[in-house]
Amino acid sequence: EDLRNYGNLKDIDKPLIVSGILLALRESEFSGSLIDKLTGDEINTDGEKIYDAIFANLRRSQVLPEPKRDKILNQFSIIKDTKVLNEVNVRLGKTPLKHFAEFLNENIYKTIKYNKSSEDFLGRFYGEFMSYSGGDGQTLGIVLTPKHITDLFCDLVDIKSSDVVLDPTCGTAGFLVAAMHHMLDKLEEEKNKEGMKDGVYESKIANIKQNQLHGFELQPYMFTIATTNMILRGDGKSNLINDDFLAQLPHKLQLKESTIGMINPPYSQGSKQNTNLYEINFISHLLDSLVEGGRCIAIIPQSSMT
């Protein structure tokens, strides 16, 4: 309600505002309280301060190459370019951006930071915002997968700490968030069972986050949310790619050595004119992109079975 009342934001923009502020709050751990800096200054606006903090945190998180980082930053430009967000609201006595930042810091950021969970928080935001718009994202081909399904996928493929996971239509990265959570849990079990040395354990944690999670997302704003999601989880973002999965060559994708494929394919985008966009083609392409002996799990609509 506040995003609507004080920001006049489109539903598609709301999760970008949320994810951008969460990234900026992450940077405030290194550069002092972000919220104290949001003074409603008309020259150096609150939006510019948040945008600068996002830029700094993307650099700190080593989001590379630069064109990829610039693409993400471009999505967040709405924060500094939207006038109503940067003007002091009479009712609030502060800018809407400061109001949003205070709320997110107190009610969301502290929880995400310390809660070991497979929950896709930003995906939940997106689904909630879309439901208020009278839609659910399906007209855009977007289907976000709830936590009980992402957890179920990890259980059904019996995910191991050594697996390499690929989600070719990753949305807000729900499957990758769940996979990371389950892989780290399995690694902790191995450490306790085998008496793994601390140095080896920490090295394996870093490898899971940096090298064992891969995703593609075609929509730039969803890619931005997914990248933010992985940064908030402590990495994994370097292997997210903003591109069309179907345009990738399977033999090149096999070089990622993915042992597990997880997919909830884009919803009902296929037609007689675009037969390549039917769900079954995404699933088939994913099967071809895994290493020999890999495991694939997919949500297959009834229409694909017939």
Side-chain angles (χ1 to χ4, degrees):
E1 289 177 351
D2 285 356
L3 285 162
R4 179 194 65 201
N5 295 341
Y6 301 124
N8 298 327
L9 294 162
K10 293 183 291 185
D11 293 297
I12 202 172
D13 293 330
K14 291 173 184 174
L16 284 172
I17 299 294
V18 171
S19 58
I21 290 174
L22 288 173
L23 265 189
L25 287 169
R26 186 173 184 269
E27 180 60 22
S28 69
E29 293 181 25
F30 305 98
S31 59
S33 171
L34 170 76
I35 292 169
D36 290 343
K37 297 173 186 175
L38 304 181
T39 58
D41 187 351
E42 294 180 3
I43 306 300
N44 187 11
T45 66
D46 288 358
E48 287 172 342
K49 292 170 184 172
I50 291 173
Y51 183 85
D52 289 345
I54 293 170
F55 175 61
N57 201 254
L58 289 175
R59 288 182 61 198
R60 192 180 300 280
S61 302
Q62 298 181 323
V63 176
L64 294 168
E66 284 190 28
K68 176 178 177 179
R69 191 170 65 206
D70 292 344
K71 187 182 290 187
I72 294 168
L73 272 171
N74 186 54
Q75 291 292 310
F76 287 129
S77 61
I78 184 176
I79 292 173
K80 63 183 178 65
D81 294 341
T82 305
K83 191 176 179 185
V84 68
L85 294 175
N86 287 281
E87 294 176 333
V88 174
N89 181 281
V90 176
R91 187 186 300 179
L92 293 172
K94 64 190 85 166
T95 65
L97 283 174
K98 181 167 186 175
H99 175 63
F100 301 153
E102 288 174 336
F103 182 91
L104 289 168
N105 185 53
E106 192 58 38
N107 296 286
I108 307 298
Y109 180 71
K110 291 176 181 176
T111 305
I112 291 176
K113 184 185 170 192
Y114 295 113
N115 190 358
K116 285 181 64 179
S117 167
S118 59
E119 180 67 74
D120 172 11
F121 294 97
L122 294 180
R124 287 281 295 275
F125 271 112
Y126 181 84
E128 199 71 16
F129 296 145
M130 292 308 293
S131 70
Y132 276 100
S133 71
D136 55 7
Q138 292 188 358
T139 55
L140 300 171
I142 294 164
V143 181
L144 298 182
T145 313
K147 176 181 179 293
H148 65 280
I149 299 296
T150 59
D151 283 338
L152 176 65
F153 267 40
C154 294
D155 291 338
L156 289 174
V157 296
D158 189 22
I159 197 167
K160 305 284 197 300
S161 66
S162 57
D163 277 313
V164 178
V165 180
L166 171 63
D167 180 354
T169 57
C170 71
T172 59
F175 279 133
L176 297 178
V177 166
M180 180 194 287
H181 175 73
H182 283 258
M183 290 162 79
L184 293 174
D185 271 0
K186 290 288 177 70
L187 183 63
E188 189 172 352
E189 289 175 14
E190 291 167 25
K191 178 179 184 283
N192 295 334
K193 189 175 181 180
E194 300 169 11
M196 192 183 298
K197 291 182 179 179
D198 288 344
V200 174
Y201 177 62
E202 295 298 330
S203 176
K204 289 193 173 189
I205 288 175
N207 198 56
I208 287 172
K209 292 181 176 182
Q210 294 170 17
N211 301 314
Q212 294 174 230
L213 300 158
H214 298 267
F216 286 87
E217 175 52 45
L218 182 59
Q219 302 280 357
Y221 66 94
M222 284 297 236
F223 167 72
T224 299
I225 295 168
T227 302
T228 304
N229 225 352
M230 298 308 283
I231 291 173
L232 290 169
R233 295 286 174 162
D235 215 305
K237 81 287 161 185
S238 54
N239 298 311
L240 296 180
I241 298 171
N242 180 206
D243 206 349
D244 181 3
F245 168 66
L246 293 179
Q248 313 302 311
L249 297 173
H251 70 274
K252 287 193 174 180
L253 289 178
Q254 286 176 4
L255 297 175
K256 297 181 184 295
E257 299 186 332
S258 299
T259 57
I260 290 178
M262 295 184 177
I263 185 170
N264 187 359
Y267 180 85
S268 296
Q269 296 296 286
S271 64
K272 288 181 179 178
Q273 291 75 34
N274 294 293
T275 55
N276 64 309
L277 294 180
Y278 282 120
E279 292 93 340
I280 197 70
N281 288 305
F282 285 91
I283 297 164
S284 176
H285 201 62
L286 175 57
L287 285 166
D288 290 338
S289 303
L290 302 178
V291 296
E292 187 175 346
R295 295 103 77 202
C296 181
I297 180 162
I299 293 176
I300 306 179
Q302 266 190 322
S303 59
S304 293
M305 304 303 291
T306 57

